[in-house]
Amino acid sequence: MAADLSPTLSKSIFEGAGGSYGTWSGADLRLLTDAKLGGGKLVLKPLGLALPHYSDSSKVGYVLEGRAVVGLTLYGETKQRILLLEKGDVVALVMGSLTWWYNEEEDSDFSIAFLGDTATAVRPGDIAYFFLAGSGGVFGGFSTEFLSRACGIREAEAEELFGSQPGALIVKLQQKLPGLRASRADGEGIVVNAERVAAEINVKSGGVAASVTSDEVAALGGFGFSVGLTRLEPNAMRLPGFFADAAVQLIYVAKGSGRVQIAGTDGNRALDAEVKEGYLFGLPKFFAMSVIAGGEGMEWFSIITSPRPAFEQLLMGRTSELNMLPSHVLEASLNVTSDLVKLLKTNGSAHDVFSPPSKT
């Protein structure tokens, strides 16, 4: 695969007093178009309101900081859900669902990263939004004649109703919205906090990995992908491995920094780069990846295009591909002595996905 896998920051498409929105586009990262994935990042300033909208892509959001009240109307439901999202929450949003986002805090920002499936999007590789209010909203595409008739009001009233909001995407309110009451029940099957997801792998001084599937968030059952939450301890290593089920992984660095290497076809190094908070990069199907965290550690949020990912570890570990090969086959394949093979199998037997920092 000759595509450039270089990690990228989001490109700002809107910035105002109420907040900002940045996106990753298939035009800048070809893997997004090839794998039909997309990403974005929403930041709401105090009293910022993201106007009501729907999206052409099913996606998952991971709350990076702050708290926000979110209105959500799912297709077929007759009552809007009101959610309270907090740092560490994972929320699943089905394409076509109507949402609005509001930061009711007066002294702190709210930010959330989105990763999603753009297979059915207007432009595969990009998540598009359709707003029901503000300049550039969908109602701007209809004449006042149509709008007034649809609403049963006069044309002058329709013009005032749909033409009074000069803002777009995100606006800043002058005072708090009254009467909004979030319900935990409204988030059932849609939201889970990372702290409540059981770790699948937990290596002391190495790292922690957890998967969010339809077992934790029922809405993911219709998405065709799962969510990965990974934390690498300072200077620890995520050992080389790949997904055996042809899954693609899209990764957002939520905290810290590290060095990433990705091995592609024909022994080529497809990527060797330093990444840090805010960067997005991807792992193509069957390519192998390894990460070494920086001095402050590294955390990432990812989606994997498989509901039950089949991760295979290549090096180290009792179940790694090399460790399970018979010693004589390994000696012949690597053209090395039995002592080196024994060293490899002995030293690597205790490691599972993560390796603590080297003591040397």
Side-chain angles (χ1 to χ4, degrees):
M1 184 175 186
D4 184 8
L5 299 180
S6 298
T8 60
L9 293 168
S10 63
K11 181 180 294 184
S12 177
I13 61 170
F14 177 85
E15 190 161 353
S20 62
Y21 188 77
T23 186
W24 287 272
S25 170
D28 303 314
L29 187 60
R30 204 186 89 183
L31 177 69
L32 296 179
T33 301
D34 293 343
K36 297 179 174 59
L37 300 174
K41 182 180 178 182
L42 170 68
V43 177
L44 291 178
K45 298 293 186 181
L47 300 185
L49 172 68
L51 298 172
H53 59 273
Y54 60 92
S55 167
D56 64 358
S57 305
S58 291
K59 57 187 181 294
V60 173
Y62 179 66
V63 180
L64 303 169
E65 65 172 338
R67 291 156 48 104
V69 177
V70 180
L72 169 64
T73 304
L74 298 174
Y75 176 77
E77 293 190 347
T78 58
K79 180 179 179 294
Q80 184 162 79
R81 299 171 182 239
I82 306 292
L83 315 175
L84 177 64
L85 296 185
E86 302 178 302
K87 183 178 180 180
D89 278 347
V90 175
V91 57
L93 302 167
V94 181
M95 63 178 177
S97 300
L98 180 68
T99 67
W100 49 263
W101 301 69
Y102 170 53
N103 180 5
E104 64 179 357
E105 304 297 321
E106 297 182 280
D107 57 0
S108 60
D109 290 353
F110 168 82
S111 64
I112 183 169
F114 296 108
L115 301 177
D117 176 6
T118 64
T120 58
V122 175
R123 296 180 301 275
D126 295 75
I127 299 174
Y129 296 91
F130 300 82
F131 284 81
L132 304 191
S135 62
V138 295
F139 294 124
F142 296 98
S143 66
T144 53
E145 176 191 359
F146 271 57
L147 293 173
S148 63
R149 185 168 176 177
C151 296
I153 57 179
R154 293 177 299 176
E155 287 194 28
E157 293 169 329
E159 187 171 352
E160 181 179 359
L161 184 63
F162 295 105
S164 296
Q165 175 56 268
L169 279 71
I170 304 168
V171 298
K172 184 176 179 65
L173 304 181
Q174 299 305 309
Q175 57 187 15
K176 282 191 173 185
L177 291 175
L180 295 179
R181 293 187 178 181
S183 166
R184 285 189 175 273
D186 281 353
E188 187 173 345
I190 299 172
V191 181
V192 68
N193 192 274
E195 296 296 327
R196 297 178 57 191
V197 180
E200 296 174 308
I201 301 163
N202 191 341
V203 176
K204 185 178 180 181
S205 300
V208 179
S211 293
V212 181
T213 68
S214 58
D215 291 341
E216 292 78 24
V217 177
L220 286 175
F223 281 24
F225 62 77
S226 56
V227 177
L229 301 171
T230 305
R231 184 181 77 243
L232 263 182
E233 297 296 338
N235 303 309
M237 184 181 200
R238 193 268 212 177
L239 297 165
F242 73 102
F243 291 100
D245 53 359
V248 174
Q249 186 176 23
L250 187 61
I251 300 165
Y252 175 82
V253 183
K255 188 176 180 181
S257 63
R259 183 180 176 187
V260 179
Q261 289 191 349
I262 294 177
T265 56
D266 301 321
N268 291 319
R269 188 174 303 156
L271 178 68
D272 187 350
E274 299 288 335
V275 296
K276 58 183 179 180
E277 182 177 334
Y279 276 81
L280 183 84
F281 65 99
L283 177 66
K285 59 184 178 182
F286 295 114
F287 282 35
M289 181 180 78
S290 184
V291 181
I292 298 177
E296 69 274 47
M298 178 172 159
E299 297 180 20
W300 65 84
F301 149 63
S302 68
I303 61 171
I304 304 157
T305 59
S306 170
R308 306 280 174 178
F311 177 77
E312 290 286 352
Q313 189 171 320
L314 290 174
L315 283 172
M316 318 293 269
R318 291 177 292 275
T319 60
S320 72
E321 296 288 346
L322 280 190
N323 199 57
M324 289 192 292
L325 285 173
S327 295
H328 293 305
V329 173
L330 199 52
E331 289 172 31
S333 298
L334 297 177
N335 191 29
V336 296
T337 65
S338 59
D339 289 339
L340 275 178
V341 169
K342 184 177 180 181
L343 184 66
L344 172 67
K345 287 179 172 281
T346 301
N347 287 354
S349 63
H351 298 303
D352 190 5
V353 181
F354 301 120
S355 175
S358 173
K359 295 180 181 180
T360 59

